[in-house]
Amino acid sequence: MISVLRNAGWWLADYAYAGYWQLRATFDRTDATNLASGSAAHIVVLPGVYETWKFMQPLVEQMHARGHAVHIVDTLRRNERPVADIAAAVAEFLERQGLTDVILVAHSKGGLAGKLVMTGPAGERVRSMLAIATPFGGSRYARLMLSRTLRAFSPEDPSIVDIARQLTVNERIVSIYAAFDPHIPEGSELAGAKNVRLETGGHFRILAHPRVLAELAVLAE
């Protein structure tokens, strides 16, 4: 009973966090070009499904404050397209901008697209990826969704299966996730990657967890 109440509390806190930042992102007018300067490692941000980069703005601003040039792929918009299309857009962005030795910082679906980028022709431009709450093995809840966009996260979906088979880049990925994720009951553990399990709950609010920045600091050394 205690664990059930604890998880329910985490779930409510998670949706409160998501609701606040989705609403704030709607009205925020921050110019992404102001973030693209810095002497530390280049970072490309990959938000989750139905998220713009502004949903990750607290993390983005902290990364920029640490000296990173943070790059936003505007064509992703709310990340509703198939993972392969998102990955192609990111790869094209890396090539067009001439970016190399990049660290991808990705939330949820963004981590799936990031892994595809790392296995493709633009993969040599990517040093590593910090994936936050990414459903590398899919989520069984996706089978119940009416939206095709969300059903694509089913463990049986061809895109999920194909990404799971790509093992060569896993060692360059840090997968960080909560002990309880209300969206991904299977968890985000990735074989061969550095897996960081946080003793908390949530799919969204862990974006603000201090361990995320700590792991980024390690990747950026």
Side-chain angles (χ1 to χ4, degrees):
M1 179 59 70
I2 293 176
S3 63
V4 171
L5 292 175
R6 180 200 61 196
N7 290 351
W10 280 338
W11 199 325
L12 289 173
D14 202 41
Y15 275 91
Y17 178 94
Y20 173 79
W21 282 105
Q22 284 284 24
L23 181 63
R24 180 163 174 169
T26 301
F27 298 100
D28 186 87
R29 295 295 178 265
T30 302
D31 187 350
T33 58
N34 294 332
L35 303 167
S37 61
S39 57
H42 289 270
I43 290 174
V44 173
V45 174
L46 307 181
V49 65
Y50 300 138
E51 299 171 8
T52 69
W53 73 268
K54 292 179 181 178
F55 185 79
M56 298 174 65
Q57 192 165 334
L59 178 58
V60 167
E61 290 180 345
Q62 290 182 76
M63 293 188 297
H64 186 245
R66 291 188 172 207
H68 293 283
V70 184
H71 303 274
I72 308 301
V73 187
D74 284 331
T75 55
L76 300 189
R77 301 186 185 279
R78 296 182 70 239
N79 204 356
E80 297 178 65
R81 288 179 288 163
V83 171
D85 291 354
I86 296 297
V90 174
E92 192 276 333
F93 177 85
L94 294 177
E95 293 171 355
R96 174 164 41 87
Q97 297 294 324
L99 296 176
T100 58
D101 202 30
V102 165
I103 299 174
L104 303 178
V105 176
H107 179 231
S108 194
K109 179 183 179 179
L112 299 176
K115 186 177 177 184
L116 269 188
V117 172
M118 294 173 74
T119 61
E124 62 184 13
R125 296 179 178 273
V126 178
R127 179 198 304 184
S128 55
M129 177 170 69
L130 179 61
I132 307 159
T134 293
F136 287 111
S139 170
R140 59 178 177 268
Y141 294 155
R143 302 176 181 129
L144 307 175
M145 299 294 106
L146 297 177
S147 166
R148 177 69 187 92
T149 299
L150 297 180
R151 288 202 309 275
F153 296 114
S154 168
E156 295 83 23
D157 190 271
S159 65
I160 294 291
V161 174
D162 180 62
I163 292 170
R165 287 173 177 164
Q166 306 295 325
L167 304 176
T168 57
V169 299
N170 287 8
E171 63 182 13
R172 292 193 282 136
I173 297 174
V174 175
S175 179
I176 186 167
Y177 51 91
F180 169 72
D181 188 321
H183 291 269
I184 314 172
E186 294 83 356
S188 299
E189 185 171 348
L190 182 64
K194 177 182 178 181
N195 292 286
V196 180
R197 183 177 184 267
L198 304 176
E199 294 305 318
T200 186
H203 184 74
F204 305 106
R205 59 194 283 267
I206 65 168
L207 285 167
H209 197 285
R211 186 67 185 274
V212 173
L213 281 175
E215 292 299 329
L216 175 63
V218 174
L219 291 179
E221 287 180 352

